[in-house]
Each structure stands twice: as structure tokens, then as C-alpha cells.
Amino acid sequence: MYAGLCAWLYIKQRDMLYFPRPEVHLDSAETIWLETPGARLKLWRLPGSGRNALVYFGGNAEPVHLNIDTFRAWFPEHNIYFVNYRGYGGSTGTPNETDLCADARAIYDHLRAGYGQISVIGRSLGSGVATCLASQRDIAKLALITPFDSIRAVASNLYPMFPVALLLEDSFDSAAYASAIDAEVLIMLATEDNII
């Protein structure tokens, strides 16, 4: 029975990790489509008054478009991009760590020539994607909201009776990426966050 539960966790792990959101159509932001290997990504863009960009990687199951009015008020000088991960919000493909990190690099590389600086905000799951990106590209500023050190550590705390370290395919080991980050970093923790 224990082996069967371990097998079920292994097979269902990505269903337990990723919670894609349905597509939303907006008039309040420009829709940008970006082709990446295995996916067509949908981003929303808010134009700003300055020459810098801000990319937002949201939390799991977070409708990122709900942040548009807040970000518009907070960062009027930035050109802001809200990312719908592959499989989320109209983007095609299936989410997994390798592809989400590759998509983040593709978004950065697509934007790089057009802006003086690119800053990144990652929330919850998005903190793992943002940390991966910041360790591999020249990010000006990095803000991590309710970040984790690794999905492996989170899962081990949630399921201490199972060998999740051996079962997990997507670990998002942000702690391992940290030493390669050269950006100015802000980390915001939530004291009542019962998951992370």
C-alpha cells in the first residue's frame, strides 16, 4: 500500500504542483504572443513612461491579470509584462520546471534589446521561476514575494512520511541558484503562509 501511494504521488505530482488558470480576455492591457519551443506564451503588457521593463511571474493558480491595476499605479514608469505560464491563461503547452525556466529566459531575451533595464517580481511559484532567471540573466532588481528555498523542501514538510526528494521531478531549487544572482534583491515573507 505504501509503495502504491508513492507511485501515485510520483504519477500525479505535476497535477498537485501546477494549477493552470483558464484564459481571460482583457481590454485593459495589450496582449503579446511569444513562440517558444513547445509553447505559445500569452503575456499582457502595460506601457510605461520610462525605458525600463518589469516582468511579473505570478503564484500558482493566481490570475495574474488581477494585479494589473495595482501594478499600473505602483510602477507607472515601467513597461510591465504579466506572464501566463505555459498551460495557463491561454498559453499553450504543459508546465514543468525545465520549460518554465526556459520560457522565462526566452521572455527576457525577447525584451532585452528594447529596454535599458529589466527587473523581475516572482510570487510563490513565480519566485522559483524568477530566481532561476535572475541566476542566468542580467536582472537589475529582483523581488521575491512569499518565496521558497525549494519545492523539495516544501513537499518534504507537507508529506514527511514519503521520500519526496526521490520522487520529485520539479524541484525549483532557488537556494542553489542564489549564489549566481547579482541583482539587488528584496524578499517579502508572509507570516501566516501555511504552505511555504
Side-chain angles (χ1 to χ4, degrees), residues 152-176:
R152 180 176 290 111
V154 173
S156 294
N157 286 335
L158 290 174
Y159 304 104
M161 68 291 297
F162 296 109
V164 293
L166 301 174
L167 300 174
L168 275 178
E169 294 183 325
D170 297 345
S171 63
F172 287 100
D173 194 349
S174 296

Side-chain angles (χ1 to χ4, degrees), residues 78-114:
H78 282 80
N79 297 275
I80 306 169
Y81 293 83
F82 297 88
V83 177
N84 288 291
Y85 302 124
R86 58 173 60 213
Y88 287 64
S91 295
T92 64
T94 303
N96 63 75
E97 179 182 7
T98 299
D99 289 336
L100 292 182
C101 289
D103 291 345
R105 290 189 300 271
I107 291 166
Y108 176 94
D109 294 344
H110 177 75
L111 298 177
R112 185 65 195 113

Side-chain angles (χ1 to χ4, degrees), residues 15-31:
D15 292 333
M16 297 169 70
L17 180 57
Y18 303 108
F19 301 100
R21 303 294 304 177
E23 185 170 13
V24 173
H25 300 283
L26 300 176
D27 295 325
S28 58
E30 176 187 0
T31 300

Side-chain angles (χ1 to χ4, degrees), residues 45-195:
R45 176 182 180 264
L46 294 179
S49 60
R51 292 191 60 250
N52 296 331
L54 174 65
V55 181
Y56 180 65
F57 297 102
N60 199 359
E62 176 187 355
V64 293
H65 70 280
L66 296 180
N67 296 292
I68 285 177
D69 290 339
T70 302
F71 277 51
R72 180 184 280 125
W74 286 354
F75 308 107
E77 72 285 357
H78 282 80
N79 297 275
I80 306 169
Y81 293 83
F82 297 88
V83 177
N84 288 291
Y85 302 124
R86 58 173 60 213
Y88 287 64
S91 295
T92 64
T94 303
N96 63 75
E97 179 182 7
T98 299
D99 289 336
L100 292 182
C101 289
D103 291 345
R105 290 189 300 271
I107 291 166
Y108 176 94
D109 294 344
H110 177 75
L111 298 177
R112 185 65 195 113
Y115 298 103
Q117 292 182 332
I118 297 176
S119 296
V120 175
I121 297 176
R123 180 181 164 278
S124 195
L125 175 65
S127 73
V129 179
T131 301
C132 179
L133 175 63
S135 72
Q136 299 170 8
R137 294 293 189 270
D138 183 20
I139 301 297
K141 295 181 180 180
L142 173 66
L144 303 175
I145 304 168
T146 62
F148 47 78
D149 52 359
S150 73
I151 290 292
R152 180 176 290 111
V154 173
S156 294
N157 286 335
L158 290 174
Y159 304 104
M161 68 291 297
F162 296 109
V164 293
L166 301 174
L167 300 174
L168 275 178
E169 294 183 325
D170 297 345
S171 63
F172 287 100
D173 194 349
S174 296
Y177 290 129
S179 64
I181 295 174
D182 195 32
E184 183 178 345
V185 179
L186 170 67
I187 297 176
M188 300 176 67
L189 304 178
T191 57
E192 295 183 20
D193 186 337
N194 294 321
I195 297 175

